[in-house]
Amino acid sequence: MTTLIYHIKLLRPLNVLISGVAMVIASAILGKVHESTTVLFVVAIVMCYTGAANALNDTMDYEIDLVNRPLRPIPSGHVQRQTALIISMILFSIGSVLCLQLPETAKVISIFIAMPLIVIYSKELKGKPLIGNIIIAFILGVSFLFCGAAHNNTAPMWIPMMLAFGLTLVREIVKDIVLTFKEKKYVGGY
């Protein structure tokens, strides 16, 4: 049972849940909550991608987390890196297969834009000032555009997309500044 709990923690269930709720809210903004099949597909896809991204991120951050977050599932030894990578691939695959039921624009946004950017961010851009922040903010923002595309109505989603992008970008930059300050203070810089 403990092993299962750590595998669930790997996905960061609160973040996954919030991503799903955000898509329900986006569907409500569009006035499409009654289109339950599409809403369920959108929620499931975004939740799968979010869980996959979190598992992939922790797989890539193993060395850093050994020092900074040793209680996370992988550095604590409760989840193997290979297992986390497989979980990530399975969730990306499930999300992508579900996406095949949606309109073309939604497929392009999720399968050909969001998923590759998530992988590139986790492997190459995380921790790179500004460009990494912009990419993660874009990924979060584009989920609203994806919801609009799934409902064949992207126009009302541009404002939520830009708000999500802007707020996430500010949050990521502030996190980087705080981390830099802590590292300099720890090393004796301040």
Side-chain angles (χ1 to χ4, degrees):
M1 186 64 168
T2 304
T3 303
L4 177 62
I5 290 170
Y6 277 99
H7 282 78
I8 292 170
K9 281 184 177 183
L10 172 74
L11 305 178
R12 296 185 204 135
L14 182 58
N15 290 354
V16 171
L17 179 63
I18 290 169
S19 72
V21 170
M23 293 304 97
V24 172
I25 292 168
S27 297
I29 290 169
L30 291 166
K32 301 288 187 174
V33 171
H34 64 280
E35 293 180 8
S36 56
T37 302
T38 303
V39 173
L40 287 173
F41 274 113
V42 168
V43 167
I45 292 161
V46 171
M47 289 176 75
C48 282
Y49 276 27
T50 302
N54 290 334
L56 179 61
N57 187 19
D58 281 8
T59 301
M60 298 296 141
D61 283 354
Y62 171 72
E63 303 287 333
I64 296 166
D65 287 348
L66 275 173
V67 175
N68 295 330
R69 296 182 177 165
L71 298 179
R72 279 204 168 163
I74 296 174
S76 68
H78 290 30
V79 176
Q80 299 299 312
R81 286 176 78 186
Q82 187 68 24
T83 303
L85 189 57
I86 291 168
I87 289 169
S88 178
M89 289 173 21
I90 289 169
L91 288 173
F92 275 132
S93 297
I94 291 170
S96 297
V97 168
L98 291 174
C99 194
L100 297 176
Q101 308 305 310
L102 298 177
E104 291 302 314
T105 306
K107 291 176 198 171
V108 169
I109 291 170
S110 69
I111 298 171
F112 298 107
I113 297 173
M115 185 171 46
L117 283 176
I118 290 167
V119 173
I120 291 167
Y121 171 79
S122 294
K123 290 187 69 169
E124 304 294 331
L125 300 176
K126 186 174 181 180
K128 299 227 170 149
L130 201 53
I131 186 67
N133 299 338
I134 289 169
I135 294 298
I136 197 63
F138 177 77
I139 292 166
L140 274 126
V142 83
S143 63
F144 288 93
L145 200 60
F146 165 71
C147 182
H151 290 288
N152 288 309
N153 189 9
T154 56
M157 290 292 99
W158 283 98
I159 291 174
M161 176 186 169
M162 295 310 293
L163 285 170
F165 173 83
L167 292 171
T168 303
L169 182 60
V170 169
R171 177 181 159 262
E172 291 296 313
I173 291 171
V174 168
K175 277 175 38 182
D176 283 356
I177 292 169
V178 169
L179 182 62
T180 301
F181 178 75
K182 283 183 178 179
E183 286 173 355
K184 285 186 179 182
K185 189 173 183 180
Y186 180 73
V187 174
Y190 287 111

